[in-house]
Amino acid sequence: MLQYETKIDANQLKGKDFLTILDFSSDEIFYLLELASQMKREQKEGKSSNVLQGKSLGMIFENASTRTRVSFEVGMTQLGGHALFLSPRDLQIGRGEPISDTAQVLSRYVDAIMVRTNSHEKVEELAKYSTVPVINALTDYYHPCQALADLLTIYEQKGTFKGNKLVYVGDGNNVAHSLVIGAAKVGMDVAVATPAGYEMNQDIVEKAFEVAKSTGSTIKITNDPVEAVTNADIIYTDVWASMGYESEQKDRELAFGPYQVNSELVSHAKNDYIFLHCLPAHRGEEVTADIIDGQHSVVFDEAENRLHVQKAILASVIK
C-alpha cells in the first residue's frame, strides 16, 4: 500500500477523460495508484468486485496490441463489466465517418471508450464529442496508462518516489513523454538521454518542467547516456523504432547504438537499480538479454501492473 495521504473523493473522477497525466493532479495520481495497489492485493487474495456490473467499454484499436488489449478486456471482465474490441475494419470510422459522429453514437451504447491510435488529435476530438469518458491507450504523443503502471512498479520495488532517480535512455517518444510527466507529478527526479535529433517534444518537455517546479522534482535532459545513468535507481528504455517508424530502422540503429542498455552502461547506476521496459523488447538492440532477463529486471511485474492500473482507471472514471 502506498504511504501517501490524498484528499480525493471517490466520485471526483467519475466521467473524467484520461487523455494525459497532465490532466490529473498529483493527489489524483496517488489515488489511482493506491486503488490499483488495493485491487492487485485483493485479486491475489481471491477477492472479486462487480463495481462495473452491467457496464461496457468500447475499445478502438488502430494499431497492434498485446498488453493493452488483454489488460483492458480482462480488467473489465474482472470488474463485472464487458469490453468490445473494435478495429477500423469493424467501424465506419475506417470508411471515413467523422470522429465526431462515431463519438456521439458510441456514447449512446457504451459507458466508456478506450482508444489506441497514432494521432493524439483523434483522441482529443473523440473526447470533445463523447459524453462518456475517453481513455487514451496510446497515441503518438502520450502513453499515460503505461506511465501509471511504471510508477506502481517503481513504488513496489523502491517503497517511495522521493529520493529516487529515474533514467530514461533512448527514443524521445510517447512513452518518454508520459513517464517524465508522471515522475515529476509524484516528485521523483528524472534524467533523459536521447540521441541528437531524437529528443522529446519540446512543448511537452516544457510542460514537464512546469510540473517539476510545483513538486520539487528535477529533470535533466542530455545526449550523454553515461551522464544520465550515473547513480540511477531506475533505468528505463524502449524500442528504437516505435510503430510507424519501422522504415527508419537502419538509420535508428546507427544513431541509437551508443544508447543500448548493456552491462557497461548500467555499471554507472547504483548497485540495486531496477530495469524497466514497456515491451515488446528487441533483445540485442535497445537492451541486451543479460539485462532484461537479469536479476535487476522487473519488466514482467511492470507488464502485470498494466492490468491493475487500468482497472483503477476504469473503476474511477466510469459512472
Side-chain angles (χ1 to χ4, degrees), residues 28-308:
E28 288 172 333
I29 290 171
F30 285 131
Y31 171 81
L32 289 171
L33 292 173
E34 178 66 47
L35 181 57
S37 179
Q38 175 187 327
M39 288 181 160
K40 181 175 183 178
R41 184 172 62 253
E42 291 175 350
Q43 180 177 315
K44 302 297 184 186
E45 295 171 351
K47 298 177 181 177
S48 60
S49 169
N50 288 322
V51 67
L52 295 183
Q53 181 72 40
K55 304 294 184 179
S56 295
L57 172 71
M59 306 190 303
I60 302 175
F61 284 90
E62 290 194 344
N63 45 38
S65 170
T66 298
R67 281 149 291 276
T68 297
R69 177 179 176 180
V70 176
S71 56
F72 267 109
E73 193 161 339
V74 170
M76 278 298 290
T77 300
Q78 290 183 354
L79 294 175
H82 176 67
L84 301 91
F85 174 77
L86 306 169
S87 76
R89 295 186 304 275
D90 302 320
L91 299 173
Q92 294 297 336
I93 197 172
R95 299 177 61 243
E97 180 176 61
I99 294 173
S100 58
D101 287 2
T102 298
Q104 292 178 80
V105 170
L106 288 181
S107 295
R108 299 188 180 212
Y109 297 151
V110 301
D111 300 284
I113 302 169
M114 183 233 79
V115 58
R116 183 181 176 101
T117 180
N118 291 327
S119 170
H120 191 72
E121 288 74 16
K122 281 187 180 180
V123 175
E124 291 179 326
E125 186 174 2
L126 194 67
K128 178 180 178 180
Y129 291 98
S130 172
T131 57
V132 298
V134 172
I135 300 169
N136 174 10
L138 179 143
T139 65
D140 51 352
Y141 283 169
Y142 298 104
H143 200 352
C145 296
Q146 179 66 55
L148 274 190
D150 301 334
L151 293 177
L152 180 59
T153 308
I154 291 168
Y155 193 91
E156 289 175 340
Q157 296 294 322
K158 295 297 183 180
T160 186
F161 294 119
K162 294 287 187 180
N164 279 301
K165 178 183 178 182
L166 167 64
V167 178
Y168 178 90
V169 180
D171 189 18
N173 59 14
N174 48 9
V175 170
H177 293 158
S178 290
L179 184 69
V180 172
I181 293 166
K185 286 275 188 180
V186 298
M188 192 159 36
D189 296 329
V190 192
V192 178
T194 60
Y198 296 93
E199 293 90 351
M200 294 189 295
N201 177 283
Q202 189 56 39
D203 288 340
I204 294 175
V205 169
E206 290 174 5
K207 292 175 182 176
F209 271 105
E210 286 299 313
V211 172
K213 287 180 184 178
S214 66
T215 62
S217 170
T218 64
I219 300 175
K220 182 174 183 61
I221 309 294
T222 181
N223 297 123
D224 185 342
V226 173
E227 178 186 15
V229 168
T230 298
N231 294 321
D233 296 283
I234 305 105
I235 301 174
Y236 197 122
T237 194
D238 191 9
V239 295
W240 289 343
S242 299
M243 284 182 289
Y245 294 92
E246 291 86 355
S247 63
E248 301 177 10
Q249 179 68 30
K250 293 301 180 182
D251 290 338
R252 284 174 175 257
E253 287 177 3
L254 293 174
F256 284 86
Y259 296 80
Q260 182 186 70
V261 178
N262 51 35
S263 58
E264 193 285 323
L265 184 61
V266 303
S267 68
H268 300 280
K270 292 181 181 176
N271 292 332
D272 63 346
Y273 83 92
I274 60 171
F275 174 75
L276 298 176
H277 192 304
C278 57
L279 303 179
H282 297 160
R283 289 165 174 79
E285 290 186 15
E286 73 272 9
V287 61
T288 54
D290 61 312
I291 300 299
I292 192 170
D293 298 321
Q295 62 179 345
H296 295 276
S297 176
V298 291
V299 298
F300 296 113
D301 293 323
E302 177 187 11
E304 178 191 341
N305 282 338
R306 289 291 302 279
L307 170 64
H308 306 299

